Amino acid sequence: MGYGLLAGAITAEIIATVSMKYSEGFSKLWPSLVTGAGYVIAFALLAQALKTLQVGTAYAIWSGIGTAAVAVIGILFMNETLSVAKVAGVVLIIAGVLVLNLGGAH
């Protein structure tokens, strides 16, 4: 259950972050509203997930997957540049999340 809630929190955070880009500094109404709602949902779901998950592990997964996903979305759909450093950073984030989970941090 905790990991399902965490997955929902991650999804909401990704949607909110991408919407923030489209809000153009909160000058566009609908993307701004999606950003606000997305973050409220993300934190509410994260809070529920923390009832059963360790905070360090949950936050590492939440922030790591969210960061990696937003970076990939930026490259694929928002014309952001792809560089060796960006790829290496995403790979290291994913590796860190895997190490936390495989190392028994939960």
Side-chain angles (χ1 to χ4, degrees), residues 23-78:
S23 78
E24 295 184 15
F26 296 114
S27 65
K28 294 195 173 191
L29 178 63
W30 291 109
S32 298
L33 292 175
V34 171
T35 299
Y39 280 120
V40 168
I41 292 167
F43 280 102
L45 291 173
L46 179 61
Q48 294 303 308
L50 291 177
K51 289 180 178 179
T52 58
L53 302 175
Q54 292 183 7
V55 68
T57 302
Y59 189 75
I61 294 169
W62 182 64
S63 61
I65 292 175
T67 300
V70 170
V72 170
I73 289 168
I75 292 165
L76 294 177
F77 302 108
M78 303 171 112

Side-chain angles (χ1 to χ4, degrees), residues 3-26:
Y3 283 105
L5 291 166
L6 184 59
I10 292 166
T11 302
E13 187 261 337
I14 291 167
I15 291 168
T17 302
V18 172
S19 296
M20 189 184 307
K21 170 71 173 171
Y22 290 112
S23 78
E24 295 184 15
F26 296 114

Side-chain angles (χ1 to χ4, degrees), residues 54-101:
Q54 292 183 7
V55 68
T57 302
Y59 189 75
I61 294 169
W62 182 64
S63 61
I65 292 175
T67 300
V70 170
V72 170
I73 289 168
I75 292 165
L76 294 177
F77 302 108
M78 303 171 112
N79 298 319
E80 292 186 4
T81 59
L82 179 63
S83 67
V84 173
K86 192 175 281 190
V87 171
V90 170
V91 168
L92 288 170
I93 290 168
I94 293 168
V97 170
L98 288 173
V99 167
L100 278 172
N101 282 299

